[in-house]
């Protein structure tokens, strides 16, 4: 920025009258104004380029040399010597709470500004949207206050310190490590800096200090209730005659009330100030001295003798109430909002201030077994979400926030948990507008000291402060259906205190906290109104709901960990949820891979994870566990969730289809099915033979209807099966997708039992080499037995990869046992030996027909020593030049045996190059479940039954040794795997492994396929 040179100012160590706020957990702020939810529109934006120095510790004095930095923006993402650091549970430094390292990066941000002339005589406030982790504000060399809480705003009153037309210098010093870091120990990157916007705003001397909005819903479902508590502040003496008016034009609501002419009784709520040393209960000076909050007795004495440090506003409260008949209730399905205007009128009738807020009328309840929204036990198809951007780290603009929600809506996500802190407030505005349920979570996680700090009285103020500020800021949002007291912080008196505050202040919403139920779902805890476990097995949640002792609705706060090639058994979770009353879904961990863009010396840009910035200790790739990639591209698991959460579902079978009807079920809770337009296609062998539109009746929420399929032909599938596919698309444009966007689909198989025509004559005359291996012009190497896959993240962390390495199944050697040539087929028997010496018997039978097609039948006996292999199958290595790929099976995206419901059976055309899924750390890749046949180049492979198949230009070993996707180099060959059995992907990096039915069994495995020319070849 172009600005005058920085004037001398205080160091962090000289601020706070000798306090060391970075190591004083009792002290949450000084000089900071109370949180509120009023958007004062008269603003002076301070975002942009600021002068900047990064010091080695808060004890260091700024020097004469200044650089520049973008604000908002983490300095860790702007080329400074302090880089991002990733840990999950453990702290990034060894010090114990509340102590922090002496080497403590401290960013000094400074800029100059002028107050507009027309702000003369007005109240002027500084707003800092968020700073990680201690913010110390100074103006013109004098401190004005400090704040802790890396994810909520801090405001400071500058009225008596600034003059219109004069130039002022603002310095914002941010200390990275503090006592607060121990309760911000979340599974994310550690950054430092000012991460949300900075601005000044002006109000009149009498102003709207806060507007508390409670928009509820009567039991009749159509009458809204509106309760307002309008807090009016006076910067000077209270005056009589002020009024408050409120209205909602479209609902014909008009309210008014007189501001009380007299203040409440001294010390009562709503009219208070701190002058001089804080009162006991806000800050205990004796305990502060005991924790070395003061550098010396002299500093403590200077504090006690100080001028008033903060004068929170004198307040008058106007309470208004209305009943509003004929409203449309708000829900995630129908996010109906109305515009509420609140005006402050001066005694002469002029309008002193006006604010507008969008409100939605709805009711949330938690019974013994159901979480109810507007009286309905909605199912939560949710995700956990951080504020994240791969380029900025923590700073996210409104367009990025909208892009997150638009994609969620397009993939049928209906809920978000703001892990693990209040997200940027614009995100909640958009959730109100577009329709998402939100569990709003306080910025509390003491994971490294999970069972310690929750009992520590030094941290009690921080617990309550963070919950209270979140509730105060966000309670106006219809989308927020529950408050979360934080994450992975044990359960102690600090939670009880915060829960008590939240229940008293906002009884309209239930509380959520996993730590309270962590060890006992049935216990008599009084903190959480929801049973909200992490990564429970399916059997456990079913047993809880079916056991007859359920105390709270069960909504999993985290499940189906989306790290890498993952989200196995998601369908089985939802089978259980939908079939079991008392289970209401949960939140997938998590929305997005947190790979940060990193440019290497050769210019390559990669997604970086723990350790890539030299950060030690670190937790590696565990930060890349989203259901979307860092660039927000959907992972295959998100397609699985979309189909599971489809608002309409086909629940009929082939008998109905042959009668020319399909049965459709409406899975919504609040709207009928007419917002969607269905169409149908009949495919035989993957080729469409008929299609058309369906006329969908007004199927009510939770209802089913039989829908006629016009002109549905009689079909006898030539290849043994045909597929009726019904697609459900938007009938009209919405705020999150255009008309025609597909929200779901259903398929009905129409088998004939005839199968492929047979009767060919087969000969045992096949081209084998001296080792009994098949030679074929399309192959660069003969077919080989495969028992291994490149380990997934789940395989590595879950321990499977280690077992496979110990068994040596990635490195097989073959010993020929016998070749037996017969008239009909040739039998080759061999033994494959792993690198650890374990032997596997393998038999191959080969035959050729008159057209030159080759039939191959394989048989393997897996010994008990190899229990739980990755796969049993065949690796075909094609010579260079094979790129075009077509298959009949699930697609078009990657699917696996325990994650195949999101893949539609069809005829798909792609390239081998496009099969590679760009997992940040390479791993098992590109598979397709249920493949009937595939064509690659000019060769067709017909399978004996639907199998797991993949085709890639990289080997499994290439995937295994690469640490980042940008390291992979395509080989000219194509590597095709055909599996008799393939292990499910599960979620074992965090949570249950795959189910037993998706494990590779010991014993006999048999499979067969036919090699022949592709269609038209």
């Amino acid at each position: 920025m172009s600005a005058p040179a920085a004037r001398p100012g205080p160091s962090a160590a000289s601020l706070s009258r000798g306090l060391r706020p970075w190591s004083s957990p009792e002290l949450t702020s000084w000089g900071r104004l109370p949180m509120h939810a009023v958007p004062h529109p008269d603003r002076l934006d301070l975002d942009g380029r600021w002068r900047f120095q990064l010091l080695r510790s808060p004890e260091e004095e700024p020097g004469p040399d200044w650089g520049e930095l973008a604000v908002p923006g983490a300095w860790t993402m702007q080329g400074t010597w302090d880089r991002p650091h990733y840990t999950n549970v453990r702290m990034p430094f060894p010090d114990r709470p509340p102590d922090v390292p002496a080497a403590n990066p401290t960013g000094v941000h400074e800029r100059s500004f002028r107050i507009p002339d027309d702000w003369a005589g007005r109240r002027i406030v500084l707003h800092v949207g968020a700073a990680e982790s201690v913010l110390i504000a100074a103006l013109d060399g004098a401190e004005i206050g400090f704040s802790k809480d890396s994810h909520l705003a801090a405001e400071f009153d500058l009225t008596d310190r600034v003059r219109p037309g004069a130039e002022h210098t603002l310095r914002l010093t941010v200390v990275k490590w503090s006592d607060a870091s121990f309760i911000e120990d979340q599974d994310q990157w550690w950054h430092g800096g000012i991460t949300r916007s900075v601005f000044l705003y002006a109000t009149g001397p009498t102003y709207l200090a806060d507007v508390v909005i409670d928009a509820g819903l009567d039991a009749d479902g159509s009458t809204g209730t509106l309760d307002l508590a309008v807090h009016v502040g006076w910067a000077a003496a209270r005056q009589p005659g002020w009024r408050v008016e409120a209205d909602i034009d479209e609902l014909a609501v008009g309210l008014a009330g007189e501001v009380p002419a007299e203040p409440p009784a001294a010390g009562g709520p709503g009219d208070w100030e701190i002058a001089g040393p804080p009162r006991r209960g806000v800050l205990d000076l004796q305990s502060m001295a005991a924790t070395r909050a003061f550098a010396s007795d002299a500093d403590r004495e200077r504090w006690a003798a100080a001028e008033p440090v903060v004068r929170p506003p004198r307040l008058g409260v106007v309470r208004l109430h209305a009943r509003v008949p004929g409203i449309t209730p708000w829900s995630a399905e129908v996010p109906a909002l109305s515009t509420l205007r609140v005006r402050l009128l001066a005694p002469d009738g002029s309008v002193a201030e006006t604010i507008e807020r969008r409100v939605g009328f709805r009711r949330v309840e938690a019974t013994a077994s159901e979480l109810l929204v507007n009286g309905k036990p909605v199912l939560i198809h949710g995700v956990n979400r951080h504020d994240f951007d791969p380029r900025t780290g923590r700073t996210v603009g409104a367009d990025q926030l909208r892009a997150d929600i638009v994609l969620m809506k397009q993939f049928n996500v209906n809920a978000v948990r703001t892990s693990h802190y209040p997200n940027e407030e614009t995100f909640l505005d958009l959730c109100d507008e577009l329709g998402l349920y939100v569990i709003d979570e306080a910025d509390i996680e003491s994971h490294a000291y999970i069972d310690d700090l929750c009992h520590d009285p030094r941290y009690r103020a921080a617990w309550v402060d963070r919950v209270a500020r979140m509730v105060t800021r966000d309670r106006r949002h219809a989308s927020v259906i529950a408050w979360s007291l934080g994450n992975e912080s044990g359960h102690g008196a600090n939670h009880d205190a915060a829960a008590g505050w939240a229940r008293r202040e906002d009884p309209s919403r239930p509380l959520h906290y996993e730590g309270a139920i962590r060890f006992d779902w049935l216990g008599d805890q009084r903190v959480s109104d929801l049973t909200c476990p992490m990564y429970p097995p399916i059997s456990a949640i079913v047993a809880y709901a079916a056991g007859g002792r359920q105390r709270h609705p069960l909504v999993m706060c985290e499940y189906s960990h989306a790290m890498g090639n993952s989200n196995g058994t998601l369908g089985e979770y939802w089978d259980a949820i939908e079939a079991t009353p008392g289970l209401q879904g949960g939140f997938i961990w998590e929305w997005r891979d947190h790979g940060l863009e990193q440019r290497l010396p050769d210019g390559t840009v990669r997604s970086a994870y723990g350790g890539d910035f030299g950060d030690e200790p670190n937790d590696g790739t565990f930060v890349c566990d989203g259901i979307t990639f860092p660039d927000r591209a959907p992972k295959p698991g998100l397609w699985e969730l979309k189909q599971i959460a489809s608002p309409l579902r086909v629940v009929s079978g082939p008998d109905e289809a042959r009668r020319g009807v399909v049965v459709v079920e409406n899975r919504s809770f609040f709207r009928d099915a007419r917002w969607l337009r269905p169409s149908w296609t009949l495919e035989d062998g993957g080729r469409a033979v008929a299609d058309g539109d369906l006329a969908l009746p007004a199927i009510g929420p939770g209802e089913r209807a039989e829908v006629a399929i016009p002109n549905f032909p009689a079909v006898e599938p030539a290849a043994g099966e045909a597929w009726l596919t019904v697609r459900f698309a938007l009938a009209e444009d919405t705020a999150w997708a255009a008309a025609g966007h597909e929200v779901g689909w259903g398929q009905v198989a129409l088998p004939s039992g005839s199968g492929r025509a047979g009767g060919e004559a087969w000969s045992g005359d096949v081209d084998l080499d001296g080792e009994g291996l098949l030679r074929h012009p399309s192959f660069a190497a003969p077919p080989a037995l495969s028992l291994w896959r490149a380990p997934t993240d789940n395989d590595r962390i879950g321990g499977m990869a280690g077992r496979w390495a110990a068994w040596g199944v990635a490195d097989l050697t073959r010993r020929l046992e016998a070749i037996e040539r017969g008239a009909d087929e040739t039998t080759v028997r061999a033994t494959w030996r792993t690198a650890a010496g374990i032997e596997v018997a393998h038999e191959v039978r080969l035959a050729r027909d008159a057209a030159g097609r080759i039939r191959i039948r394989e048989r393997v006996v897996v010994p008990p020593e190899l229990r739980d292999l990755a796969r049993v199958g065949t690796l075909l290595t094609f010579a260079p030049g094979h790129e075009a790929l077509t298959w009949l099976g699930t697609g078009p995206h990657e699917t696996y045996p325990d994650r195949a419901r999101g893949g539609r059976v069809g005829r798909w055309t792609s390239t081998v190059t496009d099969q590679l899924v760009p997992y940040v750390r390479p791993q098992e890749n590109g598979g397709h479940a249920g493949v009937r046949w595939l064509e690659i180049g000019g060769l067709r492979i017909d399978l004996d039954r639907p199998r797991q198949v993949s085709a890639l230009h990289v080997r499994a070993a290439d995937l295994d040794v690469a640490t980042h996707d940008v390291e992979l180099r395509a080989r000219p060959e194509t590597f095709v795997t055909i599996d008799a059995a393939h292990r499910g992907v599960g979620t074992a990096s965090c949570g249950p492994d795959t189910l037993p039915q998706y494990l590779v069994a010991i014993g006999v495995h048999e499979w067969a396929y036919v090699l022949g020319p592709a269609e038209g070849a």
Side-chain angles (χ1 to χ4, degrees), residues 35-38 40 207-212 229-233 315 355 472-473 475:
M35 181 61 77
H36 62 88
V38 175
H40 299 289
Y207 57 95
L208 293 172
D210 200 6
V211 178
V212 179
V230 182
H231 297 249
V232 178
L315 298 178
I355 67 164
T472 301
R473 190 196 75 166
R475 57 189 165 191

Side-chain angles (χ1 to χ4, degrees), residues 130 150-152 188-189 191 195-196 384-390 392-397 400-401 404 417-428 473 590-592 594 596:
S150 295
H151 301 282
L152 282 176
Q188 59 174 332
W189 292 97
H191 288 290
T195 54
R196 294 179 188 165
N384 286 274
R385 179 193 175 276
H386 281 281
D387 279 341
F388 171 77
D389 182 271
T392 66
R394 194 92 73 220
T395 300
V396 187
Q400 295 286 73
L401 297 170
D404 270 353
R417 174 177 172 234
T418 68
S419 54
H420 298 293
Y421 44 81
N423 288 182
E424 173 74 57
E425 191 179 8
T426 303
F427 181 77
L428 297 182
R473 190 196 75 166
E590 63 167 312
W591 175 239
R592 202 165 173 186
H594 291 191
L596 294 174

Side-chain angles (χ1 to χ4, degrees), residues 842-928:
H842 183 213
E843 178 182 279
V844 183
R845 298 185 178 188
L846 304 101
R848 184 190 299 273
D849 70 0
R853 295 189 304 155
I854 300 173
R855 184 186 68 207
I856 302 171
R857 297 176 178 172
E858 302 195 46
R859 184 177 188 273
V860 158
V861 181
V862 176
E865 301 97 304
L866 298 181
R867 186 180 302 276
D868 193 11
L869 283 169
R871 63 165 22 119
V872 174
T874 303
L875 171 64
L876 304 177
T877 303
F878 282 76
H882 294 80
E883 177 66 8
L885 178 67
T886 303
W887 74 97
L888 178 62
T890 59
H893 54 269
E894 175 193 82
T895 54
Y896 280 84
D898 61 349
R899 198 194 65 222
R901 300 192 191 192
R904 191 158 58 223
V905 176
R907 181 188 181 104
W908 305 105
T909 299
S910 182
T911 64
V912 175
T913 297
D914 287 343
Q915 290 301 293
L916 187 68
V917 180
Y919 295 113
V920 171
R921 178 169 181 175
Q923 54 198 277
E924 165 60 33
N925 205 292
H928 294 284

Side-chain angles (χ1 to χ4, degrees), residues 526-546:
R526 304 299 175 91
V527 168
S528 186
D529 299 311
L530 305 178
T531 298
C532 42
M534 287 185 175
Y535 309 105
I538 297 170
S539 58
I541 62 175
V542 171
Y544 171 75

Side-chain angles (χ1 to χ4, degrees), residues 673-797:
R674 288 175 295 184
W675 63 291
L676 297 175
R677 180 181 297 125
S679 60
W680 64 275
T681 303
L682 180 65
E683 294 174 303
D684 186 1
R687 296 190 181 279
V689 296
D691 59 35
D693 294 327
L694 294 177
L696 202 63
I699 308 172
E703 296 179 353
R704 296 181 176 187
E706 196 172 81
V707 181
I709 308 173
N711 304 314
F712 189 75
V715 61
E716 187 66 18
E721 63 179 354
W723 287 89
L724 168 65
T725 302
V726 180
R727 297 176 178 84
F728 304 107
L730 292 177
E732 298 177 351
D733 291 347
T734 70
W736 47 269
H741 167 79
E742 183 179 290
V743 302
W745 50 269
Q747 283 194 309
V748 179
L750 300 172
S752 68
S754 61
R756 175 174 290 277
E760 301 96 334
W762 294 91
S763 164
D765 181 21
V766 291
D767 184 12
L768 304 179
D769 66 10
E771 290 297 313
L773 296 170
L774 175 66
R775 296 299 179 182
H776 191 280
S778 293
F779 293 164
L785 179 66
S786 178
L787 303 178
W788 180 73
R789 69 186 183 199
T792 65
D793 289 323
N794 290 328
D795 295 336
R796 294 186 184 104
I797 296 174

